């Protein structure tokens, strides 16, 4: 019993940082030639590079999950639909990113802490 | 109708005034908007650009001033070099080029076009049957403008707006506020809407004062304002207009007029 408890405690302690490390930004989030989202948006601590970028709002899981999968995808594909004055590029409409890359970004954002 | 509305909105990013506004009215409006957006930034610091918005960058501007010395020396050599006919670039400009850079770019009423300092240099070379400099070439045109603009350090930008010039100013203004390229950016997307914010680690400078601190010295080379504009256009996913093109000349004219009254500070250290 004691060994089981100890094992469970160790497993739980390892699970937290492991879960954080599996939420890694896809290449399109970081690459200047692709989304380069990191240039404008900050990520939660321990998720990707730390920056002081604030041209766009900080990205949090709570915010993304509040928006929902469909809305997050729409924003990435064409943010001008919701806000014609936005500075954010229309990654889908202008074919900056392929559909599969946008999908990976959506999943990544929804998995943020 | 909705599509048309979106297209119009996308084409002009927060255009300040009606299209027929005078250059002075546009400048006043932009100054007011910058002041509202960056209330803690003193107008006397606008000419520092992004360095005014970051203490670490501000400290480095002076510390790295020595990086400009070799470029300026190279430019001086070109400026005073004797042509085949015995003349030199310095002879084409009043006072040997001292305290003239603050008046550029200039509007030529006869040619009905903007004449940048780089074009004036090439006009002199052409008049004396010398090989012209590539306007975007750091080793020649960059170095020459680094030197001659250093002769106007501290002078207040004083770009004139004679009759007929407002059309070029308006073209520059339209370009500044028009979204273009794959990323759908306008210059104003960052430098008006995003002024004071950070793109990556670098603060974004407002348009007033932007035209005063060129060329910048990067990796030992002089980068002119139009060379930097071309870099920005590429980042925007747009095919960059050539250096010396009407588009970039009009943009430079627009930005320079906005910066009137701001002190010139040639050759600051930059790595962006």
């Amino acid at each position: 019993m004691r060994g089981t408890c100890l094992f469970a405690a160790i497993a739980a302690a390892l699970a937290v940082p492991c879960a954080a490390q599996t939420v890694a930004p896809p290449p399109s989030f970081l690459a200047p030639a692709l989304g380069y989202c990191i240039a404008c948006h900050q990520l939660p601590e321990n998720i990707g590079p730390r920056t002081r970028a604030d041209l766009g709002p900080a990205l949090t899981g709570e915010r993304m999950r509040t928006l929902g999968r469909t809305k997050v995808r729409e924003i990435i594909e064409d943010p001008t639909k919701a806000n014609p004055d936005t500075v954010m590029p229309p990654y889908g409409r202008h074919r900056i990113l392929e559909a599969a890359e946008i999908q990976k970004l959506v999943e990544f954002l929804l998995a943020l802490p | 109708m909705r599509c048309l509305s979106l297209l119009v909105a996308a084409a002009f990013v927060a255009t300040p005034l009606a299209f027929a506004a005078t250059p002075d009215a546009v400048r006043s409006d932009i100054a007011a908007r910058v002041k509202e957006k960056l209330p803690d930034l003193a107008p006397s610091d606008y000419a520092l650009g992004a360095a005014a918005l970051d203490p670490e960058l501000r400290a480095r501007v002076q510390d790295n001033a020595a990086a400009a010395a070799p470029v300026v020396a190279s430019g001086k050599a070109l400026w005073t070099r004797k042509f085949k006919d015995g003349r030199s670039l310095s002879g084409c400009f009043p006072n040997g080029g001292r305290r003239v850079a603050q008046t550029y770019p200039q509007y030529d009423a006869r040619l009905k076009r903007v004449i940048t300092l780089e074009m004036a240099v090439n006009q002199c070379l052409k008049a004396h049957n010398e090989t012209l400099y590539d306007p975007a070439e750091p080793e020649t045109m960059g170095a020459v403008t680094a030197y001659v603009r250093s002769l106007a350090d501290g002078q207040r930008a004083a770009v004139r707006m004679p009759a007929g010039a407002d059309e070029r100013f308006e073209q520059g203004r339209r370009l500044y506020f028009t979204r273009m390229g794959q990323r759908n950016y306008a210059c104003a997307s960052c430098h008006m809407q995003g002024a004071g914010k950070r793109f990556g680690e670098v603060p974004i400078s407002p348009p007033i004062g932007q035209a005063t601190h060129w060329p910048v010295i990067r990796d030992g080379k002089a980068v002119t304002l139009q060379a930097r504009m071309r870099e920005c256009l590429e980042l925007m996913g747009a095919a960059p207009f050539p250096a010396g093109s009407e588009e970039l000349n009009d943009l430079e004219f627009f930005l320079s007029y906005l910066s009137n009254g701001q002190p010139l500070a040639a050759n600051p250290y930059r790595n962006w």
Side-chain angles (χ1 to χ4, degrees):
Chain A
M1 182 64 172
R2 189 153 168 256
T4 304
C5 288
L6 180 60
F7 178 80
I10 293 172
L14 288 174
V16 173
C18 282
Q21 288 172 10
T22 58
V23 184
S28 58
F29 193 93
L30 303 174
L34 297 174
Y36 205 24
C37 316
I38 194 69
C40 297
H41 297 281
Q42 293 182 33
L43 289 169
E45 197 168 348
N46 297 322
I47 306 292
R50 300 299 298 160
T51 76
R52 290 179 288 176
D54 60 356
L55 193 52
L59 302 174
T60 64
E62 179 183 356
R63 180 184 174 86
M64 296 300 109
R65 288 185 287 276
T66 299
L67 286 170
R69 176 173 274 104
T70 301
K71 190 66 178 177
V72 170
R73 180 181 294 110
E74 283 179 359
I75 289 173
I76 297 173
E77 286 178 348
D78 188 359
T80 64
K81 284 183 179 177
N83 178 11
D85 292 333
T86 184
V87 174
M88 182 170 167
Y91 290 104
R93 177 162 65 89
H94 279 201
R95 298 183 181 179
I96 302 169
L97 295 175
E98 300 290 339
E101 289 168 323
I102 292 177
Q103 185 60 31
K104 284 183 183 175
L105 280 174
V106 171
E107 297 308 324
F108 164 70
L109 292 170
L110 290 173
L112 286 175
Chain B
M1 178 58 75
R2 187 161 178 271
C3 284
L4 180 61
S5 299
L6 282 175
L7 280 172
V8 170
F12 292 99
V13 177
T15 309
L17 291 173
F19 301 150
T22 65
D24 282 336
V26 170
R27 187 172 61 176
S28 295
D29 176 68
I30 290 176
R33 291 167 68 191
V34 170
K35 185 67 180 169
E36 184 180 350
K37 199 166 184 64
L38 301 170
D40 296 332
L41 182 60
S44 58
D45 282 344
Y46 287 169
L48 287 173
L53 300 164
D54 185 310
E56 189 179 322
L57 290 179
R58 187 190 284 247
R60 284 170 56 194
V61 170
Q62 289 303 319
D63 289 347
N64 290 285
V71 177
V72 172
S74 173
K76 182 179 180 180
L78 291 172
W79 189 253
T80 55
R81 177 183 69 86
K82 293 295 183 193
F83 299 152
K84 290 186 283 294
D85 63 6
R87 306 294 295 274
S88 64
L89 276 172
S90 66
C92 285
F93 293 84
N95 302 320
R98 287 183 295 279
R99 297 183 301 280
V100 299
Q102 72 273 16
T103 65
Y104 281 90
Q106 300 176 353
Y107 178 72
D108 187 313
R110 182 177 65 84
L111 298 176
K112 290 186 171 49
R113 62 179 304 193
V114 169
I115 304 295
T116 64
L117 181 59
E118 290 78 2
M119 291 168 69
V121 167
N122 269 343
Q123 283 176 338
C124 176
L125 292 172
K126 184 176 181 180
H128 294 278
N129 296 312
E130 294 285 320
T131 303
L132 304 187
Y133 294 152
D134 180 336
E137 174 60 50
E139 282 81 11
T140 51
M141 189 65 82
V144 161
T145 56
Y147 174 68
V148 71
R149 289 183 70 95
S150 75
L151 299 179
D153 266 350
Q155 298 295 311
R156 302 283 169 172
V159 172
R160 294 180 60 235
M161 191 66 62
D166 53 341
E167 185 179 334
R168 306 282 26 112
F169 176 90
E170 172 61 17
Q171 288 303 319
R173 186 197 68 79
R174 286 168 57 91
L175 277 168
Y176 197 81
F177 284 91
T178 298
R179 293 181 187 263
M180 59 185 86
Q182 192 180 33
R183 303 259 163 183
N184 202 42
Y185 293 147
C187 308
S189 300
C190 286
H191 293 289
M192 286 294 296
Q193 285 180 262
K197 301 281 188 178
R198 287 182 186 266
F199 183 80
E201 289 297 308
V202 181
I204 300 172
S205 55
I208 298 178
Q210 273 186 332
T212 60
H213 51 254
W214 299 91
V216 300
I217 308 301
R218 191 197 300 155
D219 298 328
K221 295 183 179 178
V223 179
T224 62
L225 172 56
Q226 290 200 11
R228 179 63 185 134
M229 286 179 186
R230 284 171 52 80
E231 291 172 354
C232 271
L233 287 165
E234 287 185 355
L235 287 172
M236 289 157 62
F241 304 109
S245 62
E246 186 171 276
E247 290 87 354
L248 291 192
N249 288 350
D250 291 344
L251 263 174
E252 183 173 339
F253 190 58
F254 166 74
L255 281 174
S256 298
Y257 193 73
L258 288 187
S259 296
N260 266 0
Q262 292 286 325
L264 265 63
N267 316 312
Y269 175 82
R270 290 282 194 275
N271 62 357
W272 61 90

